[in-house]
Structure formats: C-alpha cells, structure tokens
Amino acid sequence: MSARIDWTSTRSAGLAGELVVPGDKSISHRAVMFAALADGSSTIDGFLEGEDTCATARAFAQMGVRIETPSASRRIVHGVGLHGLAASAQPIDCGNAGTGMRLLAGLLAGQSFDSVLIGDESLSRRPMRRVIEPLVAMGASIEAGEAGLPPLRIHGGRVLRGIHCRPPVASAQVKSAVLLAGLYAEGETEISEIHPTRDYSERMLAAFGWPIAFGAGWARLHGGHRLVATDVVVPADFSSAAFFLVAASLVPGSELILRDVGLNPRRTGLLEALRLMGADISECRRRERCGEMIADLVVRHAPLRGIDIPVELVPDMIDEFPALFIAAAGARGTTRVRGAAELRVKESDRIATMATGLRALGVDIAETPDGADIVGGVVGGGQVASHGDHRIAMSFAVAGLVAAAPVRITDCANVATSFPGFVEMANGCGFGLSSIGA
Ligand code: S3P
C-alpha cells in the first residue's frame, strides 16, 4: 500500500508549454500480454511506467516470462509462446487495474494450470460477472468471491469452446477477455457489442500475426494459431492528455501543445464533447504509428458553454467524465450527462465522487442514476475526497486552477497507477500543485 498523499491546487495565471504525457494504459497492458504469449522477443517503447501496467508485467514475470527494462518506458519481453506460461506460486496481484484482472481472467482460463487473481480495495469491489459469464459459457471454470467480486480462482486444464456472444455492457475489457480465451478455444469465437468499444486487442492480435476479422462493434477469430513477436510503440495516453485539454481550455491565457497523443476514435469522445462546448483544440502532424492514429494537440483557452452530452459519445469518453465534469463546472450554463451508469463501477463511483466533490466547491450538481446535471459558474475552494481514484484526483487538480480559493484533494497516491510524474509535469506548465504526505 502506498502512503497517503494529499494535494493542494491553487489558481493559475495561465498554462503554457509542450508536453508528452505517459504511454497509453490500455495499449501498454495488451502489449505485455501479447508479447508474453508470442514466439520470440518483442520490444515495447513508450510503455506506461504506471502501477497498473507494471502489475501486469509482474504477473507475467511470475508466470516465467523474462522481461527486461533496458531503460524507462522500454521493455523487452521474451515471449514463451501460447502454451509456455508456468503456474504462479503466488496469487497474481492486479493492484488497481480492472483491465489487468479482466483480460488476465480470459487468458488464464485457457491455461493448463490454476491461477488466483487478487486486487486492491477498489478493484476488490468491481464487478467480475461480466467476464466470468461468457468465459464459463466457453467452458472455463472460475470462482469469484461473494456477488461476483474478486478474488478470482481460475481452474486450468479445461477444454474451451468458441462462442458467439453479445455482452449486455459495452466493454472493451469483456470483449478482450473473450478474445483472449478464444485464442485457446476450439472453433470460432465471435463477439458483437451493443456499442463499439476500443479495438486495441483486435489491432494488436492482427499485428502479432493472429488471423482475426473485426470491424466497429464486432470481432471474430479461431483458436489454434500462434502469435509472432512484434515491436510496439505506445502512443501518449489520450486519457492523460484529457486533464490538460480541460485545464488549458478553462484557464485564461493558456496554450499547451500535447505531443504524439493516441487518437483512436473509440477514445476521443471528450475531444468532440469539448469542441461542442466551444473549446479551441486543433490537431497537427496527424499520422499513423504502429497502426494507431496519433497527432499533436494544440489547446488554447476558450470560453466553454454547457451542452447535453450526446449519448452516443459516452463509451468513447468513458474514462474522461471526471475531467468533463470539471469542464462543465467552469462552463456557462448546464451540462447534462445521461447513459453513463458504467461510471458507478469504475475505480470509484465516479458520479457520486464527482458530485460530492463539486458540491464541496460550491458547484450546483444534481445526480441521476446514469449521469448528472452540472450547472457551470463559480468554482470555490475547499476540500474534496478522491476516494483513491486517480482520475478524480487529477480532475480536481484542474478545478483548483480556476477556483476562487485553494482546493485540497485527499488520497492522491493512486495517480501513480496511470500517470506517474503528474505533479511535476503539471507544475512545469503552470499548475500550482503541492503534494503533502499525510
Ligand atoms: C479499458 C476499457 C474500459 C476503460 C478502462 C480501460 C481497456 O473499461 O474504462 O479504463 O483497456 O479495455 P470497460 O471495458 O470496463 O468499459
């Protein structure tokens, strides 16, 4: 357990600079997983040195995969092949990472050995039935704790069969777990989604040489092939860039350049939402790298207005709502969010955590079961609890930039799960963020 850290964020006179935020979390998790299961050695550049992704790398080291760290953000993964993993002597600790646990559940369901997956307090409260149910339908044997919560005990040595499924939630983690089990299954595995989600697993499987057919909202593969080592360059994480997009939009006089940001269309809903609110964000040097679109984003201050967030954007900005709520608090008029009930089962209940925090800063916000109405206006100072949720902590750090008095944010240590070095990078471009070990 990390020691408790609190932050104080103070008003800013303007943000300026060029930033490269850390590597994409979703892609970093998957790169380690697929490289570990490939034949041969893969180099990953731009790997996120966050606690979540390092936990995934540790999981594979525990299962006998040699992973070198020649320099920060670089990994060389010596793949052991699809059937080369060994049982871990200890339970595998996924830390705070839902992606780590859910994808590993699919992958481990196809092994010849038993595994146990555990997580921190937050992960131990997150629903796992959504992955257990399709995996059990494929023939997996998985026991969870009460109400389908972690820890997960996965019994190996099962014969998996391909399935055709349509999960009731739009979740890239569920889709990826099913596809990973599908690598080990007899016959065809096909998944169709109620709304298209990020397709990193599909793209990366193809890059590692696995025959896969996929399009927006569906993917299909057969078991029984092999993965071939491939080098991966991870783009900067749009979700980490998001805090700076909102910050520079809100603080008068700001201009920031965010380099090499991944712009997978299933991730960039916030960009569209902010533009609808009046944000001034342009893209330059748009190009493809390792099969993903990346670009530099230039964001300048612009007055924002409240909008109804289009429901079809919700899955494409599912991790960005804490930042969006801050943009809404600093906008003129009311922003309405609906169709976002998934926020209640993220690292914290993000609707409740944001509503309580914003109210503590004097913002008028009404919760609904699947969203909120946020009335923009003056943001005051005060103390807010992040509940150990990294994205909540960073979002309130942004709120402090435009608040009438300092904003104290408690329990910020988990920011290291997705954005190591956030305080230094933020202060380097004009935040006034101080960190206190409590
Ligand atoms: C992720 C998928 C999303 C997202 C999470 C990362 C992934 O979760 O919120 O941060 O890497 O597949 P869901 O699949 O639960 O929506």
Side-chain angles (χ1 to χ4, degrees), residues 25-26 30 99 102 130 170-173 198 318-319 346:
K25 182 147 74 77
S26 293
R30 287 161 172 84
T99 307
R102 293 189 179 124
R130 54 181 61 197
S171 162
Q173 295 176 355
R198 63 192 75 188
I318 197 65
D319 293 330
K346 292 293 180 189

Side-chain angles (χ1 to χ4, degrees), residues 25-27 29-30 99 102-103 126 130 170-174 176 197-198 200-201 318-319 342 346-347 350 391:
K25 182 147 74 77
S26 293
I27 297 178
H29 278 298
R30 287 161 172 84
T99 307
R102 293 189 179 124
L103 270 59
R126 296 186 64 188
R130 54 181 61 197
S171 162
Q173 295 176 355
V174 173
S176 302
T197 63
R198 63 192 75 188
Y200 298 127
S201 299
I318 197 65
D319 293 330
E342 270 297 290
K346 292 293 180 189
E347 284 83 330
R350 286 185 171 160
R391 299 202 200 283

